[in-house]
Amino acid sequence: MAEAPPFNAAPVFNEHFRRRFEDLVAWRRDIRHFKPDPVDPAVVDDLIRLACLAPSVGNSQPWRFVMVEDPSLRVRVRANFATANSDALHDYDGERAKLYASLKLSGLDRAPVQVALFCDGEGALGHGLGSRTMPQTLEHSVAGAAVILGLAARARGVGVGYVSILDPERLKADLEVPESWQFVSYMCIGWPDIADSPEPELQRRGWQDRKPHGSFVHRR
């Protein structure tokens, strides 16, 4: 009986690497201000390649990346955002409403690369392993891919802005994706037009401070 081939030796992540990884996580930013300079398509392709290394339930790989390149489609996405953003403003009043109105909440006007990320919940890959009782784990998998893409971009100095103020059904119709796909994230990708800061913009602008991680831990 032939012996199974040996696994490749796993890399060793030392203390220096762990410190640098912590820096990467801490300095990741949701970018809303972009330069119009193009991003090399090879860089974008590599970011997506790394995102597709994300773990997925049942190895289902349910992520679907739609590159939104047609100018007319970008106009529709921008209009979608404008409507949703106006509706969202009505949820606030007083000083909170003024602050919300002052925030630049999308990079849709300048980001050279725009990607709509969907979850294909009916894909053949994975054969339903691990998701039959919790189908939402498919979307969790896609969200994980989005996080990895954002970290990989930050490591290259590329900015990623996530646009969540959109009507998902309107977006799906405009992009003509299958009805079964679920919208997860709209990502603006480009070179940041803002200086690095140790604090996220929303924290710096007074929208919401970051709480210590222990405040989110519950024990039973």
Side-chain angles (χ1 to χ4, degrees), residues 10-212:
V12 176
F13 302 111
N14 58 25
E15 179 61 27
H16 174 72
F17 176 88
R18 290 191 290 272
R19 288 198 303 269
R20 298 301 291 164
F21 178 73
E22 183 173 343
D23 288 340
L24 175 62
V25 173
W27 282 82
R28 188 209 60 81
R29 294 288 176 268
D30 187 10
I31 302 299
R32 298 174 179 83
H33 309 271
F34 293 92
K35 297 177 181 178
D37 307 30
V39 178
D40 186 339
V43 171
V44 177
D45 184 68
D46 202 47
L47 295 179
I48 293 176
R49 178 186 67 84
L50 291 170
C52 290
L53 294 178
S56 61
V57 61
N59 199 22
S60 55
Q61 304 156 72
W63 36 73
R64 303 293 181 264
F65 298 85
V66 178
M67 313 303 292
V68 184
E69 301 170 339
D70 187 324
S72 65
L73 284 179
R74 290 192 176 191
V75 169
R76 293 184 186 182
V77 174
R78 185 66 177 81
N80 184 337
F81 168 80
T83 299
N85 194 44
S86 177
D87 291 343
L89 179 59
H90 296 149
D91 291 338
Y92 305 104
D93 52 30
E95 292 302 314
R96 180 67 66 174
K98 291 180 182 179
L99 180 55
Y100 180 90
S102 72
L103 296 172
K104 183 177 176 60
L105 295 173
S106 82
L108 296 171
D109 295 328
R110 301 190 74 187
V113 179
Q114 297 183 25
V115 184
L117 181 55
F118 292 88
C119 174
D120 180 3
E122 297 183 359
L125 297 177
H127 309 288
L129 177 64
S131 62
R132 293 192 184 281
T133 57
M134 294 181 62
Q136 66 270 32
T137 54
L138 292 165
E139 292 186 43
H140 297 171
S141 301
V142 179
V147 170
I148 289 180
L149 189 150
L151 290 173
R154 182 64 180 88
R156 290 163 172 75
V158 177
V160 178
Y162 301 93
V163 183
S164 59
I165 307 174
L166 292 166
D167 179 336
E169 294 305 317
R170 179 176 171 181
L171 182 69
K172 286 170 58 175
D174 285 339
L175 299 184
E176 298 182 347
V177 301
E179 181 61 31
S180 61
W181 288 14
Q182 297 300 312
F183 172 63
V184 175
S185 179
Y186 195 95
M187 297 178 287
C188 294
I189 301 174
W191 302 107
D193 190 20
I194 186 171
D196 281 339
S197 168
E199 295 180 337
E201 181 180 359
L202 291 181
Q203 184 175 345
R204 195 171 63 252
R205 297 283 301 276
W207 183 262
Q208 174 70 63
D209 288 335
R210 187 180 293 278
K211 294 185 177 182

